[in-house]
Amino acid sequence: MAKIKIKSAVEVEQMRQAGAIVAWVLQQLAQEIKPGITTLYLDSIADKLIREKGALPVFVGYRGYRHATCLSVNEQVVHGIPGQRVLQVGDIIGVDVGSKINGYCGDTAVTFAVGEISKKAQQLIRTTKEALRAGIKQARVGNHLGDISAAIYRVAKSNGYSVVEDLYGHGIGADLHEEPLVPNFGQPGEGPLLKEGMTLAIEPMLNEGGSKIKTLADGWTVVTQDKGLSCHFEHTILIAGLGPEILTKTN
Ligand code: MF3
Ligand code: CO
Ligand code: CO
């Protein structure tokens, strides 16, 4: 197994920039999301905004992917491809965006409501956000990776949701995906020791029904097998001496 990279102060500074850009892009997109727009329209805005900031949309060209964002509606878990789908009142949409600037990446996702959504959907969004927060809280020097994973899992389960077990968060840096994998389930105290300078993309994926997923014929879109709602949030974080620093924070 290759090693988990420790970032220098200079590298961390580049990642702060990459993170700030994608965080800002999500904020801008939040204002565009409404019934009647297509997912491709949202993607085109993200692409334009990322480039305006002097960054590259790092998903473009990743394993042949062709868009700046992954846009995943309702039972779509992640990796939904932007297209002519029109957003409807009551939909939820996961917006995942990545950038690269000065050689370093940022990766973040939020699930938004389209107009008024059901209480069930609101609760799923609230819990997934809380699971991410609980995971981040464990991203401290001296903890183990399993502490992050277990914290996420616990929040999901205690609220009656299942956790996607076939997709993971990941290390991030010069590459969008680096070691280690960051599962959303695991045992406290297990896995690699967390050290100052590690940077991770933590990304819980919670389902209202079962945990099973499948990939559609487009080769990308991941959906729940039982067609239940799914929700995704993601932050890129730094394990800093003083505790976790969220590099993709919106204020
Ligand atoms: N952003 C995804 C992640 O969180 C990866 C997307 S890869 C792409 O890891 F090619 F689909 F964009
Ligand atoms: Co992502
Ligand atoms: Co990611």
Side-chain angles (χ1 to χ4, degrees):
M1 201 176 90
K3 269 186 68 188
I4 303 173
K5 293 199 173 96
I6 302 294
K7 275 73 178 185
S8 69
V10 171
E11 292 179 296
V12 165
E13 198 43 46
Q14 312 296 8
M15 292 191 65
R16 281 197 189 96
Q17 275 192 47
I21 290 168
V22 284
W24 174 78
V25 169
L26 278 187
Q27 263 182 334
Q28 303 305 304
L29 295 181
Q31 299 169 42
E32 301 289 340
I33 291 172
K34 45 180 86 74
I37 67 159
T38 66
T39 57
L40 191 60
Y41 169 72
L42 266 187
D43 181 73
S44 71
I45 296 172
D47 188 276
K48 180 174 79 81
L49 293 175
I50 293 166
R51 292 179 197 276
E52 272 176 19
K53 291 284 180 187
L56 287 172
V58 69
F59 300 172
V60 175
Y62 183 85
R63 298 191 180 184
Y65 195 74
R66 301 166 66 93
H67 296 277
T69 59
C70 297
L71 301 174
S72 308
V73 182
N74 297 340
E75 79 287 355
Q76 298 176 354
V77 180
V78 288
H79 304 166
I81 303 174
Q84 296 307 327
R85 179 174 186 153
V86 175
L87 296 182
Q88 313 282 333
V89 175
D91 285 343
I92 63 171
I93 179 171
V95 177
D96 191 340
V97 58
S99 77
K100 191 172 199 174
I101 187 163
N102 298 325
Y104 289 85
C105 300
D107 186 8
T108 185
V110 167
T111 296
F112 294 107
V114 182
E116 198 174 322
I117 61 171
S118 69
K119 284 276 176 293
K120 266 171 53 174
Q122 288 174 30
Q123 183 59 36
L124 176 61
I125 289 176
R126 205 175 305 128
T127 303
T128 310
K129 219 188 266 186
E130 188 188 330
L132 175 56
R133 203 176 315 124
I136 291 171
K137 212 171 155 193
Q138 297 300 320
R140 310 184 158 273
V141 176
N143 272 4
H144 291 256
L145 193 68
D147 295 314
I148 298 175
S149 304
I152 291 169
Y153 191 83
R154 187 169 176 279
V155 170
K157 283 294 164 179
S158 65
N159 285 276
Y161 298 113
S162 68
V163 167
V164 173
E165 300 190 10
D166 302 332
L167 297 167
Y168 312 88
H170 48 92
I172 177 169
D175 292 310
L176 176 62
H177 292 154
E178 298 186 350
E179 299 221 28
L181 292 174
V182 182
N184 294 311
F185 58 93
Q187 296 303 320
E190 291 192 353
L193 185 62
L194 302 179
K195 297 182 182 156
E196 185 170 352
M198 288 180 175
T199 45
L200 304 175
I202 302 177
E203 44 183 317
M205 288 156 259
L206 270 55
N207 296 346
E208 74 172 353
S211 64
K212 291 228 166 55
I213 57 170
K214 65 177 180 185
T215 304
L216 298 184
D218 63 23
W220 284 101
T221 313
V222 175
V223 299
T224 55
Q225 277 190 18
D226 60 13
K227 299 198 170 66
L229 279 186
S230 187
C231 185
H232 177 222
F233 279 83
E234 175 176 27
H235 271 309
T236 297
I237 63 104
L238 165 72
I239 298 175
L242 296 171
E245 177 182 335
I246 300 174
L247 302 179
T248 47
K249 195 170 178 120
T250 44
N251 292 302

